[in-house]
Amino acid sequence: MATYKPVVVQACPKLGERITQDTLYWRGYKTPVQIKEFGAVNKIDFSPVPPYNYAVTASSRVGGFSEVFMLLFFSWYHTRRCNALLFCQIHIYGRYSQEPIKTFSRFRDAAYCATYRDDGRLLVAGSEDGSICLFDVSGKAPLRQFEGHTKPVHLVGFLSDKYRVFSGGDDYSSNLWDIPSATEIISYSEHTDYVRCGCASKVNADVFITGSYDHTVKLFDARTKSSVMTIEHGHPVESVLLFPSGGLLVSAGGRYVKVWDVLKGGQLLVSLKNHHKTVTCLCLNSSGQRLLSGSLDRHVKIYSTTSYKVVHSFNYATSILSLALSPEDETIVVGMTNGVLNVKHRKPEEKNENSQKKRQPAYRTYVKGRTYMPKQEDFCVSKPVKRVLRKYDKLLRSFQSSKALDAVMEPPIMLHTPEVTVAVMQELHRRGTLRSALAGRDEKQVNLLLTFVARRVIEPRFTPVLVTVADMITDIYQPVVGQSAIVDKQFLKLQQAIGKEIDYQEELLEVLGMMDTLFATFTKKRDTCLEENKSNGVTEIIQTNRNY
């Protein structure tokens, strides 16, 4: 009996991924570390000074008796993580630690928006009860407590002079506070909905910006009694960001990220719509050349601040609420709705010289003798290579056509390697057993076959084989048309796919006809010009001879 030859799968070239410097750079982060918090992570903020610890604000309310019981159990079991009847804490993590190195838990209710001061010595946070707490990073008890908001405070931050704090709450107000005296300096009530985001200017110590769910971004100057600029974003504003120069402002809300020129009175420069769901957070890298945006669609997009095109993206498991990049771009921390912190660190750079010196001897040993050409007097001993057959090859070798087709109709194979499925169909057709392999199938299997054929029949590399398969399926299962709504629907999809492809082919033939006409016209003109040039040349030669 002749040796069985495995099915030859047609190899088709694939388009390679475009590799850029940004791709190589952002791929240089290690596999992420997952840290579980007790609630959705609403804010992440890095300390501006070494060792670049970061503050994580996460909170989750507790409802019925069973939840209280579970909370008491966790409080007893994890004394380092739970210290209150509400998960309303601020955790401080070291850059490489997976457990909090410090915890601030002196809140009566849920905590929000913990933010470092520029010197990294103070931390301010808002809360659900409307109070604002100021902490010394080296202590535990609040240094100051600001009372004035009547509803939850989701926005707090320091002005660049380090002695004033701005805040925004669900009572539609934006307030400014004096740290030494713990008093309110001024209150602005210009927003008409919740104030949920904001930032301070690093250039002017009196300027801060707030974003609200009333679709507006307002710029305030502490020296005036009202806002000095209002920008209409068009959607509820989830995050705002001011460039270090103070001239450009970025706002995020809905699916849009918009860049505004503050120096030109809030002129819109560019509107980006690269996310599929609401954009929740923004971040700049240390050089200000890359802008990062996180969204509920589970993606982090990275833009170039010169062209505002996406240069890279990260994909995460669940929706993203917060995002932060360390001051040296060494660590990316992402907070998600399920309470998971995703931490990525950059890989240490290796010296190429040392790695090449270590690899060269091993590589030379590995390829030694591969290029040797045997001489006439040499006696060659061939080593038999054991050939491992695939499942469908084993079934084809034993002439089990129907089972071989079943083996390549599994969803992973059809989805990722459709060329294998088509190759087996082609082999069955060559053997003359394709019709028997397609026959005798139930509703689910016929639905799977028709789905695959309708999706792949328009691909030029598969069309010759799948047209034959579609023909056979139609002939075999034509008597049962009308008995199953699912199969009928797939037949209609196949008909639509083939109809569209025929229309495309007709349009292409029309275009080819027009192009042939144009090329023929150009060719005719070129030939006419050549003949005229030749005739002119002959006439000149005759006239020259006559003169002589």
Side-chain angles (χ1 to χ4, degrees):
M1 184 177 177
T3 306
Y4 173 79
K5 294 181 180 179
V7 174
V8 179
V9 179
Q10 182 184 3
C12 298
K14 295 182 180 179
L15 292 176
E17 184 182 358
R18 186 182 176 187
I19 303 297
T20 63
Q21 291 297 325
D22 279 286
T23 306
L24 296 175
Y25 177 82
W26 295 105
R27 280 184 178 177
Y29 286 86
K30 297 179 183 178
T31 304
V33 176
Q34 305 281 348
I35 302 174
K36 179 64 178 175
E37 287 286 337
F38 284 104
V41 180
N42 58 68
K43 176 72 174 180
I44 303 168
D45 192 56
F46 272 92
S47 173
V49 296
Y52 304 122
N53 298 331
Y54 57 94
V56 176
T57 313
S59 56
S60 177
R61 288 183 167 276
V62 177
F65 173 78
S66 60
E67 294 180 354
V68 174
F69 176 79
M70 289 299 296
L71 177 56
L72 291 174
F73 171 77
F74 277 116
S75 299
W76 168 77
Y77 189 69
H78 298 286
T79 55
R80 294 182 60 189
R81 300 288 297 271
C82 298
N83 298 315
L85 285 180
L86 284 171
F87 294 119
C88 45
Q89 305 176 358
I90 300 171
H91 290 155
I92 307 296
Y93 289 90
R95 195 160 51 167
Y96 298 103
S97 66
Q98 298 185 28
E99 291 289 332
I101 60 175
K102 194 174 185 62
T103 299
F104 296 100
S105 57
R106 302 297 181 90
F107 294 94
R108 295 190 295 268
D109 214 325
Y112 300 113
C113 195
T115 307
Y116 278 101
R117 197 167 71 172
D118 287 344
D119 57 5
R121 298 174 63 184
L122 295 181
L123 188 76
V124 66
S127 67
E128 182 73 19
D129 61 3
S131 63
I132 301 169
C133 295
L134 182 71
F135 296 93
D136 186 343
V137 175
S138 59
K140 286 189 176 181
L143 294 178
R144 296 283 188 274
Q145 191 160 343
F146 306 101
E147 302 285 351
H149 286 282
T150 58
K151 289 187 177 180
V153 178
H154 286 265
L155 164 67
V156 286
F158 292 92
L159 292 185
S160 56
D161 62 3
K162 302 178 184 179
Y163 298 107
R164 288 177 291 179
V165 171
F166 67 94
S167 62
D170 288 357
D171 55 1
Y172 311 163
S173 66
S174 305
N175 297 357
L176 196 63
W177 311 87
D178 180 60
I179 293 178
S181 61
T183 57
E184 181 184 291
I185 300 174
I186 190 171
S187 177
Y188 302 96
S189 299
E190 298 190 17
H191 286 293
T192 58
D193 208 333
Y194 299 158
V195 182
R196 288 297 176 91
C197 58
C199 61
S201 172
K202 295 183 179 180
V203 178
N204 191 326
D206 294 308
V207 174
F208 66 96
I209 296 169
T210 59
S212 169
Y213 280 5
D214 62 4
H215 302 189
T216 63
V217 177
K218 291 186 179 290
L219 188 146
F220 295 97
D221 191 323
R223 296 164 293 187
T224 62
K225 295 184 179 180
S226 62
S227 63
V228 295
M229 186 183 299
T230 300
I231 296 173
E232 182 67 34
H233 179 81
H235 296 83
V237 183
E238 298 285 350
S239 182
V240 292
L241 182 67
L242 198 61
F243 275 66
S245 62
L248 296 179
L249 171 69
V250 186
S251 62
R255 295 169 56 191
Y256 294 88
V257 175
K258 297 184 179 182
V259 184
W260 313 85
D261 191 337
V262 178
L263 302 180
K264 290 186 178 180
Q267 178 183 347
L268 178 63
L269 295 181
V270 63
S271 178
L272 308 172
K273 190 181 177 182
N274 298 99
H275 288 283
H276 302 295
K277 292 184 180 179
T278 301
V279 183
T280 55
C281 48
L282 297 169
C283 180
L284 273 176
N285 72 336
S286 58
S287 64
Q289 296 180 355
R290 295 293 180 267
L291 172 67
L292 287 75
S293 64
S295 168
L296 296 180
D297 63 5
R298 304 182 294 108
H299 287 86
V300 171
K301 303 283 185 182
I302 303 169
Y303 307 87
S304 167
T305 53
T306 54
S307 63
Y308 291 104
K309 292 183 178 179
V310 177
V311 295
H312 195 69
S313 64
F314 291 111
N315 189 17
Y316 290 87
T318 56
S319 300
I320 297 168
L321 286 182
S322 51
L323 166 70
L325 194 60
S326 65
E328 294 181 346
D329 299 340
E330 195 272 340
T331 306
I332 298 176
V333 184
V334 171
M336 291 174 276
T337 53
N338 60 353
V340 172
L341 274 177
N342 186 292
V343 185
K344 291 183 179 180
H345 300 284
R346 278 198 64 78
K347 298 175 184 177
E349 296 182 359
E350 298 180 356
K351 295 182 179 179
N352 294 330
E353 297 179 359
N354 295 338
S355 60
Q356 287 178 0
K357 288 180 181 178
K358 291 179 180 178
R359 291 177 183 174
Q360 282 176 357
Y363 180 73
R364 286 199 302 268
T365 305
Y366 179 72
V367 300
K368 185 177 179 180
R370 281 197 169 190
T371 57
Y372 177 77
M373 297 296 294
K375 298 177 183 179
Q376 188 174 3
E377 62 272 12
D378 289 342
F379 179 77
C380 299
V381 179
S382 60
K383 182 180 179 181
V385 179
K386 186 178 180 181
R387 183 174 292 175
V388 179
L389 296 178
R390 303 279 185 180
K391 182 180 178 181
Y392 55 85
D393 276 319
K394 293 178 180 178
L395 293 169
L396 286 173
R397 186 175 62 178
S398 58
F399 304 101
Q400 301 182 47
S401 304
S402 184
K403 290 184 178 180
L405 185 59
D406 291 339
V408 294
M409 290 300 294
E410 295 177 359
I413 296 177
M414 291 195 302
L415 185 63
H416 301 293
T417 55
E419 59 273 8
V420 175
T421 305
V422 176
V424 172
M425 289 179 174
Q426 188 174 12
E427 176 65 17
L428 291 174
H429 181 58
R430 188 187 67 81
R431 295 184 177 193
T433 57
L434 180 58
R435 180 178 289 271
S436 61
L438 292 171
R441 296 182 174 271
D442 57 17
E443 180 184 24
K444 184 177 179 181
Q445 293 174 332
V446 174
N447 180 36
L448 200 62
L449 273 170
L450 288 172
T451 303
F452 175 76
V453 174
R455 181 180 298 176
R456 301 291 182 177
V457 72
I458 60 175
E459 296 187 28
R461 54 178 178 160
F462 301 146
T463 300
V465 178
L466 292 185
V467 165
T468 305
V469 173
D471 238 352
M472 290 185 180
I473 293 175
T474 306
D475 289 342
I476 294 169
Y477 296 100
Q478 187 177 3
V480 298
V481 171
Q483 297 180 11
S484 170
I486 297 175
V487 175
D488 293 347
K489 185 178 179 181
Q490 293 302 327
F491 270 118
L492 288 174
K493 285 185 177 180
L494 177 61
Q495 182 183 8
Q496 291 172 1
I498 295 175
K500 286 182 180 179
E501 186 63 23
I502 291 172
D503 293 338
Y504 292 151
Q505 295 293 337
E506 290 177 353
E507 292 177 5
L508 284 174
L509 288 174
E510 292 177 3
V511 174
L512 286 174
M514 290 186 286
M515 292 176 67
D516 287 340
T517 305
L518 291 172
F519 291 149
T521 305
F522 293 148
T523 306
K524 187 175 180 181
K525 286 183 178 180
R526 187 184 63 181
D527 293 342
T528 305
C529 292
L530 289 174
E531 289 178 2
E532 289 178 357
N533 292 336
K534 286 180 180 179
S535 61
N536 292 336
V538 171
T539 305
E540 289 176 0
I541 292 171
I542 292 172
Q543 289 177 355
T544 304
N545 292 333
R546 285 179 179 177
N547 292 334
Y548 280 111

PDB file of all heavy atoms in Angstrom, residues 334-348:
ATOM      1  N   VAL A 334      -3.966  51.334  35.509  1.00  0.00           N
ATOM      2  CA  VAL A 334      -5.328  51.505  35.006  1.00  0.00           C
ATOM      3  C   VAL A 334      -6.292  50.944  36.040  1.00  0.00           C
ATOM      4  O   VAL A 334      -6.117  49.819  36.528  1.00  0.00           O
ATOM      5  CB  VAL A 334      -5.507  50.782  33.649  1.00  0.00           C
ATOM      6  CG1 VAL A 334      -6.960  50.776  33.232  1.00  0.00           C
ATOM      7  CG2 VAL A 334      -4.660  51.448  32.574  1.00  0.00           C
ATOM      8  N   GLY A 335      -7.324  51.725  36.384  1.00  0.00           N
ATOM      9  CA  GLY A 335      -8.361  51.284  37.310  1.00  0.00           C
ATOM     10  C   GLY A 335      -9.635  50.975  36.571  1.00  0.00           C
ATOM     11  O   GLY A 335     -10.053  51.736  35.686  1.00  0.00           O
ATOM     12  N   MET A 336     -10.288  49.868  36.937  1.00  0.00           N
ATOM     13  CA  MET A 336     -11.451  49.401  36.187  1.00  0.00           C
ATOM     14  C   MET A 336     -12.694  49.318  37.064  1.00  0.00           C
ATOM     15  O   MET A 336     -12.616  49.441  38.294  1.00  0.00           O
ATOM     16  CB  MET A 336     -11.134  48.050  35.557  1.00  0.00           C
ATOM     17  CG  MET A 336     -10.097  48.164  34.448  1.00  0.00           C
ATOM     18  SD  MET A 336      -9.544  46.581  33.782  1.00  0.00           S
ATOM     19  CE  MET A 336      -8.273  46.139  34.953  1.00  0.00           C
ATOM     20  N   THR A 337     -13.820  49.120  36.411  1.00  0.00           N
ATOM     21  CA  THR A 337     -15.104  49.129  37.114  1.00  0.00           C
ATOM     22  C   THR A 337     -15.267  47.945  38.063  1.00  0.00           C
ATOM     23  O   THR A 337     -16.042  48.021  39.010  1.00  0.00           O
ATOM     24  CB  THR A 337     -16.264  49.115  36.103  1.00  0.00           C
ATOM     25  OG1 THR A 337     -16.078  48.012  35.202  1.00  0.00           O
ATOM     26  CG2 THR A 337     -16.298  50.401  35.298  1.00  0.00           C
ATOM     27  N   ASN A 338     -14.557  46.854  37.811  1.00  0.00           N
ATOM     28  CA  ASN A 338     -14.672  45.687  38.690  1.00  0.00           C
ATOM     29  C   ASN A 338     -13.727  45.746  39.879  1.00  0.00           C
ATOM     30  O   ASN A 338     -13.568  44.756  40.607  1.00  0.00           O
ATOM     31  CB  ASN A 338     -14.421  44.398  37.899  1.00  0.00           C
ATOM     32  CG  ASN A 338     -13.038  44.355  37.271  1.00  0.00           C
ATOM     33  OD1 ASN A 338     -12.297  45.336  37.313  1.00  0.00           O
ATOM     34  ND2 ASN A 338     -12.682  43.226  36.680  1.00  0.00           N
ATOM     35  N   GLY A 339     -13.074  46.912  40.098  1.00  0.00           N
ATOM     36  CA  GLY A 339     -12.203  47.077  41.250  1.00  0.00           C
ATOM     37  C   GLY A 339     -10.799  46.541  41.070  1.00  0.00           C
ATOM     38  O   GLY A 339     -10.052  46.432  42.039  1.00  0.00           O
ATOM     39  N   VAL A 340     -10.401  46.218  39.846  1.00  0.00           N
ATOM     40  CA  VAL A 340      -9.073  45.667  39.582  1.00  0.00           C
ATOM     41  C   VAL A 340      -8.135  46.789  39.130  1.00  0.00           C
ATOM     42  O   VAL A 340      -8.494  47.612  38.281  1.00  0.00           O
ATOM     43  CB  VAL A 340      -9.129  44.559  38.514  1.00  0.00           C
ATOM     44  CG1 VAL A 340      -7.731  44.127  38.097  1.00  0.00           C
ATOM     45  CG2 VAL A 340      -9.910  43.373  39.043  1.00  0.00           C
ATOM     46  N   LEU A 341      -6.950  46.797  39.733  1.00  0.00           N
ATOM     47  CA  LEU A 341      -5.873  47.691  39.292  1.00  0.00           C
ATOM     48  C   LEU A 341      -4.960  46.907  38.361  1.00  0.00           C
ATOM     49  O   LEU A 341      -4.466  45.831  38.719  1.00  0.00           O
ATOM     50  CB  LEU A 341      -5.057  48.188  40.485  1.00  0.00           C
ATOM     51  CG  LEU A 341      -5.539  49.417  41.239  1.00  0.00           C
ATOM     52  CD1 LEU A 341      -4.603  49.665  42.412  1.00  0.00           C
ATOM     53  CD2 LEU A 341      -5.573  50.631  40.346  1.00  0.00           C
ATOM     54  N   ASN A 342      -4.718  47.427  37.185  1.00  0.00           N
ATOM     55  CA  ASN A 342      -3.833  46.793  36.223  1.00  0.00           C
ATOM     56  C   ASN A 342      -2.552  47.621  36.152  1.00  0.00           C
ATOM     57  O   ASN A 342      -2.573  48.778  35.724  1.00  0.00           O
ATOM     58  CB  ASN A 342      -4.509  46.715  34.849  1.00  0.00           C
ATOM     59  CG  ASN A 342      -3.708  45.942  33.840  1.00  0.00           C
ATOM     60  OD1 ASN A 342      -2.642  46.365  33.413  1.00  0.00           O
ATOM     61  ND2 ASN A 342      -4.230  44.801  33.423  1.00  0.00           N
ATOM     62  N   VAL A 343      -1.436  47.026  36.576  1.00  0.00           N
ATOM     63  CA  VAL A 343      -0.162  47.758  36.690  1.00  0.00           C
ATOM     64  C   VAL A 343       0.842  47.157  35.713  1.00  0.00           C
ATOM     65  O   VAL A 343       1.119  45.948  35.766  1.00  0.00           O
ATOM     66  CB  VAL A 343       0.395  47.694  38.126  1.00  0.00           C
ATOM     67  CG1 VAL A 343       1.641  48.565  38.257  1.00  0.00           C
ATOM     68  CG2 VAL A 343      -0.666  48.124  39.128  1.00  0.00           C
ATOM     69  N   LYS A 344       1.384  47.990  34.847  1.00  0.00           N
ATOM     70  CA  LYS A 344       2.402  47.559  33.891  1.00  0.00           C
ATOM     71  C   LYS A 344       3.684  48.356  34.119  1.00  0.00           C
ATOM     72  O   LYS A 344       3.641  49.576  34.253  1.00  0.00           O
ATOM     73  CB  LYS A 344       1.931  47.779  32.445  1.00  0.00           C
ATOM     74  CG  LYS A 344       0.794  46.883  32.004  1.00  0.00           C
ATOM     75  CD  LYS A 344       0.464  47.147  30.540  1.00  0.00           C
ATOM     76  CE  LYS A 344      -0.660  46.238  30.066  1.00  0.00           C
ATOM     77  NZ  LYS A 344      -0.994  46.472  28.641  1.00  0.00           N
ATOM     78  N   HIS A 345       4.808  47.638  34.152  1.00  0.00           N
ATOM     79  CA  HIS A 345       6.128  48.269  34.303  1.00  0.00           C
ATOM     80  C   HIS A 345       6.930  48.070  33.021  1.00  0.00           C
ATOM     81  O   HIS A 345       6.798  47.048  32.339  1.00  0.00           O
ATOM     82  CB  HIS A 345       6.894  47.655  35.478  1.00  0.00           C
ATOM     83  CG  HIS A 345       6.198  47.807  36.799  1.00  0.00           C
ATOM     84  ND1 HIS A 345       6.171  48.985  37.494  1.00  0.00           N
ATOM     85  CD2 HIS A 345       5.486  46.917  37.539  1.00  0.00           C
ATOM     86  CE1 HIS A 345       5.495  48.822  38.617  1.00  0.00           C
ATOM     87  NE2 HIS A 345       5.057  47.572  38.663  1.00  0.00           N
ATOM     88  N   ARG A 346       7.768  49.034  32.740  1.00  0.00           N
ATOM     89  CA  ARG A 346       8.632  48.905  31.569  1.00  0.00           C
ATOM     90  C   ARG A 346       9.712  47.870  31.828  1.00  0.00           C
ATOM     91  O   ARG A 346      10.239  47.745  32.932  1.00  0.00           O
ATOM     92  CB  ARG A 346       9.301  50.241  31.218  1.00  0.00           C
ATOM     93  CG  ARG A 346       8.396  51.150  30.415  1.00  0.00           C
ATOM     94  CD  ARG A 346       9.182  52.243  29.725  1.00  0.00           C
ATOM     95  NE  ARG A 346      10.095  51.693  28.732  1.00  0.00           N
ATOM     96  CZ  ARG A 346       9.739  51.288  27.530  1.00  0.00           C
ATOM     97  NH1 ARG A 346       8.482  51.357  27.163  1.00  0.00           N
ATOM     98  NH2 ARG A 346      10.631  50.808  26.691  1.00  0.00           N
ATOM     99  N   LYS A 347      10.058  47.112  30.774  1.00  0.00           N
ATOM    100  CA  LYS A 347      11.120  46.124  30.882  1.00  0.00           C
ATOM    101  C   LYS A 347      12.466  46.821  30.945  1.00  0.00           C
ATOM    102  O   LYS A 347      12.685  47.813  30.251  1.00  0.00           O
ATOM    103  CB  LYS A 347      11.092  45.184  29.677  1.00  0.00           C
ATOM    104  CG  LYS A 347       9.815  44.382  29.540  1.00  0.00           C
ATOM    105  CD  LYS A 347       9.820  43.568  28.276  1.00  0.00           C
ATOM    106  CE  LYS A 347       8.494  42.827  28.090  1.00  0.00           C
ATOM    107  NZ  LYS A 347       8.463  42.080  26.816  1.00  0.00           N
ATOM    108  N   PRO A 348      13.384  46.325  31.763  1.00  0.00           N
ATOM    109  CA  PRO A 348      14.728  46.932  31.799  1.00  0.00           C
ATOM    110  C   PRO A 348      15.448  46.739  30.468  1.00  0.00           C
ATOM    111  O   PRO A 348      15.339  45.688  29.831  1.00  0.00           O
ATOM    112  CB  PRO A 348      15.432  46.179  32.929  1.00  0.00           C
ATOM    113  CG  PRO A 348      14.690  44.889  33.053  1.00  0.00           C
ATOM    114  CD  PRO A 348      13.267  45.185  32.677  1.00  0.00           C
TER     115      PRO A 348
END
